[in-house]
Amino acid sequence: MTEHTALYVYALVPDRQGAADGVTGLDGRPLRLVGVPGTTVAALVHDATPAPFQGDDEQVRRWVAEQNRAVTAVWERTGSILPMTFNVLVADDAASGRSAERRLADWITEQEADITGQLEELAGRCELRVEITVDRTAAAAGDPEEGAREAGLDGRSPGMRRLLAKQREQQARNEAGRLADSLHAEIRQRLLSVAEDFRDRGPAHRTADETGVLSAALLVRHEDIDAVGTVLSEVRARQPAVRIRFLGPWPPYTFTDARHRAYAQEAAS
């Protein structure tokens, strides 16, 4: 420890006794809850020096994974959580004589209504991530003219075969694009019928021979996870060229109002 101690803040949660028992965070540090008298909110923290965690890319990825595991473990016990980003530290304030814990408690007290409202809105909810693509080769296989084009390659010169192969690739791309366009609005509407919120995301897992249909984060009640799976299974059964990646459930990172993170960064400054 240095002269001025700090708290590394992982998340804000409903104050539940024992929710952090046995949970460890970065580099195996034991976590604890800092409850705030007069509120129903607690902060998930570990004791730290004021210096941020710094390392190479591999080490930072490991720390982020450890933070996510800790947040998930406590979320499963409390039912709601507002996760912080990596490296949110609240330090002692030598000028005012306020400890890190006092500064954090003061900030939570000031923002209690907003924080409590967000925790209530997210209670019993989780995040699912869905990425849907069309496999271009599979989409082209459904084209009745594809077999004739393949047969037409026999006896052609190498240069002509290369030209025709490029044409086939473009035709497969066009066919996959048409299918993706026809599916996007339908799948989005069906997912919104079973999810409470929907946020578009950039593609996370897409190979060179796939055309994107939809990449999204869904906010759903735990009891509706199977309903999302049913929608996706029906789409896959009806469209063999469709590829679906379905991940979660996770804490609702995407749907957490960023205001509390901004406030926390301000408190940490």
Side-chain angles (χ1 to χ4, degrees), residues 120 149 166 184 207 229:
E120 290 175 350
R149 286 194 291 264
K166 289 182 179 179
H184 176 84
T207 62

Side-chain angles (χ1 to χ4, degrees), residues 59-76:
Q59 190 171 37
V60 170
R61 281 194 294 269
R62 176 174 62 80
W63 281 331
V64 170
E66 290 172 344
Q67 179 160 327
N68 288 341
R69 283 195 295 271
V71 166
T72 299
V74 175
W75 167 66
E76 290 173 345

Side-chain angles (χ1 to χ4, degrees), residues 44-205:
L44 179 66
V45 305
H46 76 242
D47 296 306
T49 64
F53 283 76
Q54 295 179 324
D56 58 30
D57 290 347
E58 182 177 353
Q59 190 171 37
V60 170
R61 281 194 294 269
R62 176 174 62 80
W63 281 331
V64 170
E66 290 172 344
Q67 179 160 327
N68 288 341
R69 283 195 295 271
V71 166
T72 299
V74 175
W75 167 66
E76 290 173 345
R77 297 177 183 182
T78 60
S80 188
I81 200 164
L82 301 181
M84 296 293 175
T85 54
F86 181 65
N87 258 339
V88 172
L89 287 148
V90 178
D92 288 354
D93 183 356
S96 67
R98 290 192 301 162
S99 68
E101 190 163 324
R102 181 70 265 164
R103 293 184 66 206
L104 181 58
D106 288 347
W107 167 70
I108 290 174
T109 300
E110 291 170 3
Q111 307 300 330
E112 179 193 6
D114 189 34
I115 294 169
T116 301
Q118 292 180 59
L119 288 170
E120 290 175 350
E121 289 174 3
L122 295 174
R125 274 72 176 169
C126 64
E127 178 170 333
L128 302 175
R129 298 206 182 153
V130 176
E131 182 155 6
I132 302 175
T133 63
V134 171
D135 183 293
R136 293 173 193 154
T137 302
D143 183 351
E145 297 181 5
E146 180 61 21
R149 286 194 291 264
E150 287 286 348
L153 291 177
D154 294 340
R156 299 296 183 99
S157 68
M160 180 59 69
R161 291 173 69 90
R162 286 193 296 271
L163 175 62
L164 292 175
K166 289 182 179 179
Q167 290 177 345
R168 285 203 318 277
E169 181 181 349
Q170 185 59 50
Q171 287 162 346
R173 188 184 299 271
N174 293 343
E175 180 63 26
R178 285 191 291 270
L179 179 57
D181 289 343
S182 70
L183 289 173
H184 176 84
E186 174 203 343
I187 297 174
R188 183 186 180 99
Q189 183 176 8
R190 292 194 65 189
L191 289 173
L192 277 170
S193 72
V194 294
E196 293 191 342
D197 202 352
F198 180 109
R199 303 280 176 88
D200 289 309
R201 292 174 49 83
H205 304 284

